[in-house]
Amino acid sequence: MEIQKLYDLDDIEFEDVAIGLVRLAKDIPAHEFFYKINQINGLSFSRKKDVIIHGAYYDYFFPRFEAYHKSTKTCFTFISNRSSESKQKKLQTELFTEEENIKFLLNNQADVEYILHTSEEIPDFSVILLPENLVFPIQDYTLSSEEELYQIIQYYE
């Protein structure tokens, strides 16, 4: 008797995820940035468990901040694009490894400070007011299911 296959991973369609890229105009610490966002919006962004990526030589930690918007019933998440901490697991014995002690979630967007994600299917980042003169306008960005960051967001959601 043959066991029936319930689903085939090749047949599952993965939808792209829309995120917002947040670039700071001034270099300010995270606590000051989120204090100003919380004041303007009446939201309560707080630090959550860091996003952790395990590399061959380092473990990377990316700060994550979340808030729940009561009127839209949406969860907003800011994830730092740059690792705040890295813990070395073993010594590098090879000369040309691509792994360094600092990692970016979006390697091609090193100038981005935070990645903004929402629990909504169609995100509306205009709900969050950002401090004037501290932040450039949020840039919309689409992640495909093949990208590492897509998998990370799905895991921490």
Side-chain angles (χ1 to χ4, degrees):
M1 187 169 170
E2 194 173 305
I3 298 174
Q4 185 178 13
K5 207 181 223 186
L6 293 177
Y7 59 89
D8 185 6
L9 289 177
D10 295 333
D11 292 340
I12 297 174
E13 291 185 29
F14 294 102
E15 293 184 16
D16 293 344
V17 171
I19 59 172
L21 305 182
V22 179
R23 291 176 175 83
L24 298 181
K26 297 179 182 177
D27 189 25
I28 61 170
H31 67 275
E32 185 177 332
F33 176 67
F34 287 102
Y35 173 76
K36 291 183 185 228
I37 287 179
N38 288 344
Q39 273 188 320
I40 295 170
N41 292 286
L43 292 172
S44 182
F45 276 97
S46 60
R47 181 116 181 227
K48 299 296 180 189
K49 185 178 175 186
D50 287 355
V51 171
I52 302 171
I53 296 179
H54 302 287
Y57 298 100
Y58 294 93
D59 287 337
Y60 301 99
F61 298 84
F62 298 87
R64 183 170 60 122
F65 302 86
E66 282 186 359
Y68 183 74
H69 197 275
K70 291 177 184 170
S71 64
T72 62
K73 297 182 180 172
T74 304
C75 181
F76 290 99
T77 305
F78 279 91
I79 304 170
S80 178
N81 185 38
R82 182 178 185 201
S83 61
S84 63
E85 181 183 352
S86 60
K87 292 184 180 176
Q88 190 170 11
K89 297 192 292 189
K90 62 181 179 178
L91 288 174
Q92 291 180 333
T93 55
E94 299 173 23
L95 279 177
F96 300 105
T97 61
E98 292 187 15
E99 194 169 332
E100 298 179 18
N101 65 340
I102 296 174
K103 182 171 177 63
F104 292 91
L105 291 174
L106 292 170
N107 289 327
N108 59 344
Q109 302 282 345
D111 62 331
V112 170
E113 192 68 33
Y114 295 102
I115 297 162
L116 178 57
H117 178 257
T118 178
S119 59
E120 290 182 347
E121 294 271 334
I122 301 170
D124 182 14
F125 299 125
S126 64
V127 173
I128 298 178
L129 300 174
L130 297 173
E132 290 184 31
N133 302 325
L134 285 182
V135 181
F136 293 108
I138 295 174
Q139 177 188 348
D140 292 332
Y141 189 85
T142 304
L143 290 175
S144 68
S145 60
E146 292 88 35
E147 294 184 60
E148 180 184 24
L149 182 55
Y150 176 94
Q151 306 298 329
I152 292 167
I153 288 174
Q154 295 301 318
Y155 177 78
Y156 281 93
E157 195 170 69

